[in-house]
Amino acid sequence: MKRNNLFMTIYDFFKKISNVSFKIFVAPFIKLSFKRHGKNVKIGKGAKFAGISNISVGNNVFIGEDNLFICTKAQVKIGDGVMFGPNVTIITGGHETRITDMPMYMIKDKDKAADLDRDIIFEGDNWIGANATILRGVTIAKGTVVGAGAVVTHSTEPFSIVVGVPARMIKNRKMQ
């Protein structure tokens, strides 16, 4: 029993060092790489960004641990007061499937149709649950809550709660 406590103490120590070093050395550079960022932006450890210069972030935003934002051609626009749980995935693009005379993996961005990459907008006061996925062209309306594990393929209504695969509205927060 004492051995396990020692290992837990050592584990906790190294985890704290890792978290502190991320906050001091990595997170500030991530914020500076965004197209724009507001005040009080927190980035969870392990968050990854492709196309980071296409991301605009408002005030009071928390991007959870291990989030993945892929936005190489289109923009991600995050309003004020948005919270992302852990492991959220944001993807603004898709693969070109209409070209059939070459394998899909060989098709480059320059060959893709323009409609395959579309902005994703978070209007603000949003809570995006753990493991949710938001796909291209979606606007998450003001006040919307996205449930854990949801896959959002269509824009939401203001103050809605959406869940499921594909996500669908189950409730309006103003009519509870």
Side-chain angles (χ1 to χ4, degrees), residues 8-84:
M8 286 303 298
T9 302
I10 292 169
Y11 171 80
D12 289 342
F13 173 75
F14 282 109
K15 186 174 178 182
K16 285 178 185 174
I17 288 174
S18 175
N19 289 341
V20 168
S21 64
F22 179 83
K23 286 178 184 174
I24 292 172
F25 299 111
V26 179
F29 290 104
I30 291 172
K31 286 189 251 184
L32 290 173
S33 299
F34 289 145
K35 182 175 187 175
R36 178 188 92 63
H37 72 85
K39 296 177 182 170
N40 194 31
V41 174
K42 306 272 192 253
I43 300 167
K45 190 174 163 197
K48 296 174 190 71
F49 305 91
I52 195 167
S53 62
N54 292 334
I55 301 172
S56 299
V57 182
N59 298 312
N60 304 310
V61 171
F62 177 75
I63 296 172
E65 288 189 7
D66 298 316
N67 278 203
L68 174 62
F69 286 52
I70 302 173
C71 50
T72 55
K73 290 177 82 175
Q75 306 284 311
V76 173
K77 300 172 185 175
I78 303 170
D80 296 338
V82 178
M83 304 175 292
F84 295 91

Side-chain angles (χ1 to χ4, degrees), residues 118-162:
R118 296 192 307 270
D119 295 349
I120 295 176
I121 300 168
F122 297 87
E123 291 185 344
D125 186 27
N126 305 120
W127 173 19
I128 312 302
N131 298 304
T133 300
I134 315 295
L135 297 177
R136 68 179 177 221
V138 167
T139 295
I140 302 296
K142 182 178 175 88
T144 295
V145 174
V146 176
V151 177
V152 185
T153 59
H154 293 90
S155 295
T156 66
E157 295 179 24
F159 297 97
S160 60
I161 299 173
V162 299

